[in-house]
Amino acid sequence: MIAFALHGGAGAKAGRDYSAEIADMRRIAEAARTALMGGATALDVVTDTVHALEDSGLYVAGKGASPNLNGEFELDASLMDGKDKRCGAVAALQGYANPIDVARAVMERTPHVFLAGDGARRFAKTQGFEALSDPESYFTRAGLFESNHPPGTLAHGTVGCVCLDRFGHLAAGTSTAGVFGKLPGRIGDTPVIGSGTWADAEVAVSCTGQGEYFIRAQVAAQVGYRLKAGQSLSDATAAALQEVVDFGGEGGLISVSRTGEVKVPFRSAGMKRAWFNGDTDIQSEAF
């Protein structure tokens, strides 16, 4: 059994045309299925999928970034391997296009889990990642008319992927870009292991929404622990998101279990997402 889900953020708004995003997510999911059927690992597929979402410029991650209040582009990402719970994360990374790749390098090339700010930038440079020569012209400011709000509200905009490979291993990854007008140095749930990303032997989870609430609820890890307590994946994901709603927030998540079950619930106007398990048809939707 293989299973897979990705999301392009929970900021979708009724009345907008998401045909480009739906087609892009389907294309990326098709590439992931081909890779998984060929024996690719969950960790590699998650990394490659999030990288592709970052590169598209259609979502509020990677190329889709908007500047903070100082006009700077700060990117966050995290990655977790369910096989052994190795994980890596970066936050407030400036000058690089693909924070998910830097997060994986943190996991694989350092004894640490999390690097932030100038430390993350210096690490990316020492590891040979190519710096952006002109960030101002590179970033597309995707999602400007969605829930990518200026100060006064809690913004959100994220991409993510969860995956079960043919070897029975799970992985999860999440990435976000500088949402418009955020305070410099603001960090949401995306790079925080347990809040926005989680993978263990039973489930992989990636979240999207108003990160401050997802941190308070520890949504991603909460799903994993609810499963261990005997809840179904459907009940676990619903209960974790309900806590976000109870705080006054909104958002969604994608999840895959070790049996290949996929759940992609959201408590927001919409959530761009695509998923499949086994040889079922790929579903790609925004609402």
Side-chain angles (χ1 to χ4, degrees), residues 126-192:
T126 64
Q127 297 303 305
F129 291 103
E130 183 177 357
L132 294 170
S133 59
D134 185 7
E136 184 65 31
S137 64
Y138 176 78
F139 294 112
T140 65
R141 298 162 174 79
L144 191 58
F145 301 102
E146 295 182 342
S147 296
N148 193 18
H149 299 301
T153 58
L154 292 180
H156 52 71
T158 321
V159 302
C161 177
V162 293
C163 184
L164 171 70
D165 64 29
R166 61 193 294 182
F167 311 106
H169 298 146
L170 292 151
T174 315
S175 178
T176 192
V179 290
F180 178 79
K182 69 176 183 179
L183 289 173
R186 179 265 184 185
I187 297 170
D189 66 309
T190 293
V192 180

Side-chain angles (χ1 to χ4, degrees), residues 50-73:
V50 175
H51 183 114
L53 291 164
E54 290 173 341
D55 281 352
S56 73
L58 293 171
Y59 319 96
V60 187
K63 188 178 176 67
S66 294
N68 64 19
L69 278 176
N70 286 350
E72 302 159 334
F73 297 87

